[in-house]
Amino acid sequence: QVQLVESGGGSVQAGGSLRLSCTVSGYTYSNYYMGWFRQAPGKEREGVAVIYPGGGTTSYADSAKGRFTISQDNAKNTLYLQMNSLKFEDTAMYYCAADSRSWVAHLFPVYVNYWNYWGQGTQVTVSS
């Protein structure tokens, strides 16, 4: 059974940093495309960052470029999102997702609902 469990969310002041983690089990982690997504109240879920198997390719939404870094530790089956220079508008529930299909990752940052496996989310709240 595929499971993704996020952690690391919390409350932080604008300009601060957080590192989110997503630990996965139930499949061969290194074969999957992994992504971070977020959903703010009243808004649709949106893509934040994606990383390809092997970690050599990453892609970011414009809102995340220059501030967020996606990475992974295959030995620990864990995905990370380092978030720096946080802004009020980064406040959202953050989700990690996984999919083995390359075309899903190639669509990033749109069609987020095509991703196959999702975690339960971790809340990030940024105060201005």
Side-chain angles (χ1 to χ4, degrees):
Q1 182 179 358
V2 176
Q3 283 192 316
L4 291 80
V5 180
E6 302 96 334
S7 61
S11 297
V12 64
Q13 288 191 329
S17 298
L18 283 174
R19 189 176 81 155
L20 306 183
S21 299
C22 172
T23 302
V24 305
S25 61
Y27 64 88
T28 305
Y29 175 85
S30 59
N31 292 343
Y32 277 66
Y33 298 81
M34 301 294 299
W36 285 101
F37 302 82
R38 68 186 184 185
Q39 188 168 19
K43 294 187 176 181
E44 294 186 353
R45 191 171 298 188
E46 63 179 7
V48 176
V50 65
I51 189 166
Y52 284 23
T57 300
T58 58
S59 183
Y60 296 88
D62 287 344
S63 59
K65 288 178 182 177
R67 300 187 301 125
F68 295 1
T69 303
I70 189 171
S71 63
Q72 60 190 5
D73 186 335
N74 287 349
K76 296 182 178 180
N77 285 2
T78 302
L79 176 74
Y80 302 102
L81 184 68
Q82 178 66 43
M83 304 187 295
N84 299 327
S85 303
L86 283 162
K87 304 176 182 180
F88 175 76
E89 50 265 40
D90 294 319
T91 296
M93 184 72 78
Y94 283 71
Y95 301 88
C96 65
D99 205 293
S100 61
R101 302 168 295 177
S102 60
W103 65 266
V104 172
H106 294 336
L107 290 173
F108 180 87
V110 296
Y111 298 108
V112 299
N113 290 333
Y114 284 4
W115 286 72
N116 215 350
Y117 302 107
W118 291 86
Q120 84 289 347
T122 186
Q123 178 69 38
V124 171
T125 302
V126 184
S127 57
S128 58

